[in-house]
Amino acid sequence: MSRQIGLVLGAGGFLGAAWMLGTLSALQEATDWDARDADLVVGTSAGSVLGALLRAGHSVEDLYRAQQDDSNPESIGRMPAEPIPALAFDLGDEPGYPALPHLGLGSLPLVLRAVREPKRLTPAAVCAGILPRGRRPLTRIGGIVERAHLGDRWPSGTWIVAMDYQTGSRVSFGSADGPRTTIASAVMASCAVPAWYSPVTIGDVPYIDGAVCSPCNADLLVGQGLDEVYVLAPMASLRPDRPTSLVARMERLYRRSATKRVMREVAKLRASGTSVTVLAPNRGELEAMGANMMDSARRLDVLRASKEDAIRRFATRKARRLASLACPRVASSLPPGLSSAT
């Protein structure tokens, strides 16, 4: 009987998507496991776009190569019907900063609920309600996903996470109890960063970025009968750097909080009997990212740094396993190169 494997693709903007592609490429080289074969994929924000493209049949290799060659609009490769533009995370003319948002509260119902039930909402959800609504539409990203899937069929075993902008509730499109919509609409909802992009209305309900609920939402996989789960968490870090700029230091404070949330979710998964491998950026990759995860100018540096670092970590893990079989004392003396892949 084959092992049931899950894949969690977290939030992280343009650079988080590049980091996940580099890491998945190294993972495939190290294990021969194809991410398209995951039995269940949970995608949040940038991870929802990557997950949707994988479910459309694009290989990690094709997506990685497309990021390296954005001069060729058909470099992702061909699906059976037509070429797919290589714009998934490389919207070159997309600015790295938000436009001037609308005036006023983003979601009065969400703020009122926070007043009535202050313990029911996370600080991030409360902030999302207070922040003004963004102006930028997500139609380009939605169009990429729509063309990739060539229809309205929802890909099996794909969950896309967003947040109900009125109640603060986490919603998992594609799950048994999730709202029904197209994969493109769900991805747009999952990517609607507060104060940056416009909320996405599905039915009569506005939705925003699923990262407001959690940077990964890995705990959704508890009780799903999976033997193993790979969690890719671009917004976390188990080996942080020490930047000097004030903006980068503030970003690292948020990252510390995100790491704690991810590891709590991972602990729940492991307690349920699932083996979990967590992958998050290390010091060198954080230096390549800088402080703005939407700065696509750094995309290629992050892509290469993530793959190179992941290759080293998987090689170290293999060496430690072999050493532990031969001599436990030798294994314990090897450098802890897998502190972000445990």
Side-chain angles (χ1 to χ4, degrees):
M1 184 175 179
S2 61
R3 290 173 61 81
Q4 298 291 298
I5 300 178
L7 176 64
V8 176
L9 300 170
F14 296 133
L15 297 187
W19 178 86
M20 286 187 284
L21 271 178
T23 302
L24 282 175
S25 180
L27 175 63
Q28 182 165 322
E29 290 183 9
T31 65
D32 290 327
W33 180 70
D34 191 326
R36 293 174 295 181
D37 295 334
D39 295 283
L40 186 54
V41 174
V42 173
T44 302
S45 199
S48 73
V49 186
L50 180 53
L53 291 175
L54 289 170
R55 287 308 204 199
H58 291 304
S59 68
V60 169
E61 180 183 22
D62 286 343
L63 292 169
Y64 185 90
R65 186 167 56 247
Q67 290 294 292
Q68 291 182 307
D69 182 20
D70 57 8
S71 63
N72 179 3
E74 298 180 5
S75 56
I76 280 184
R78 292 180 176 270
M79 294 297 288
E82 63 180 65
I84 309 300
L87 295 173
F89 313 111
D90 179 28
L91 303 173
D93 56 350
E94 286 283 313
Y97 295 91
L100 188 66
H102 293 281
L103 297 177
L105 295 173
S107 174
L108 180 58
L110 188 56
V111 172
L112 291 176
R113 187 185 182 196
V115 173
R116 292 192 305 267
E117 305 173 83
K119 295 183 179 181
R120 295 294 298 273
L121 298 177
T122 65
V126 176
C127 288
I130 295 172
L131 288 172
R133 293 194 174 207
R135 290 182 183 272
R136 290 209 171 95
L138 283 152
T139 49
R140 291 184 66 187
I141 288 178
I144 293 162
V145 175
E146 186 175 15
R147 289 191 297 273
H149 283 269
L150 305 174
D152 294 335
R153 183 186 63 83
W154 188 278
S156 176
T158 307
W159 294 0
I160 303 299
V161 184
M163 190 187 85
D164 185 320
Y165 203 23
Q166 296 176 328
T167 67
S169 301
R170 181 169 62 174
V171 174
S172 179
F173 295 101
S175 64
D177 56 352
R180 295 295 177 260
T181 188
T182 64
I183 183 72
S185 295
V187 167
M188 287 191 291
S190 185
C191 292
V193 180
W196 193 303
Y197 291 111
S198 300
V200 176
T201 300
I202 297 173
D204 296 325
V205 180
Y207 295 95
I208 59 172
D209 196 330
V212 177
C213 301
S214 163
C216 280
N217 295 289
D219 56 323
L220 288 173
L221 294 183
V222 173
Q224 296 303 312
L226 297 168
D227 299 299
E228 186 172 5
V229 171
Y230 292 107
V231 176
L232 274 65
M235 292 306 303
S237 180
L238 303 183
R239 299 181 66 191
D241 62 343
R242 294 184 178 180
T244 56
S245 77
L246 178 61
V247 175
R249 284 156 65 183
M250 292 176 64
E251 193 272 352
R252 299 308 189 260
L253 285 175
Y254 167 79
R255 189 176 287 275
R256 185 183 305 171
S257 174
T259 302
K260 292 179 180 178
R261 174 63 189 255
V262 170
M263 296 313 294
R264 286 198 300 268
E265 295 177 359
V266 167
K268 292 179 181 179
L269 259 179
R270 287 175 173 156
S272 71
T274 300
S275 174
V276 185
T277 297
V278 183
L279 294 158
N282 280 334
R283 295 188 185 99
E285 296 152 289
L286 291 176
E287 291 173 2
M289 289 176 176
N292 182 5
M293 298 294 283
M294 301 296 281
D295 183 5
S296 61
R298 293 174 173 260
R299 184 195 75 258
L300 290 179
D301 290 339
V302 173
L303 188 74
R304 293 165 185 150
S306 62
K307 182 168 184 176
E308 291 171 0
D309 190 78
I311 288 173
R312 286 193 295 270
R313 281 184 275 170
F314 285 122
T316 301
R317 180 168 69 172
K318 182 177 180 180
R320 294 181 72 175
R321 284 178 175 175
L322 293 175
S324 66
L325 294 174
C327 180
R329 290 184 179 180
V330 173
S332 63
S333 68
L334 288 171
L338 284 177
S339 57
S340 63
T342 57

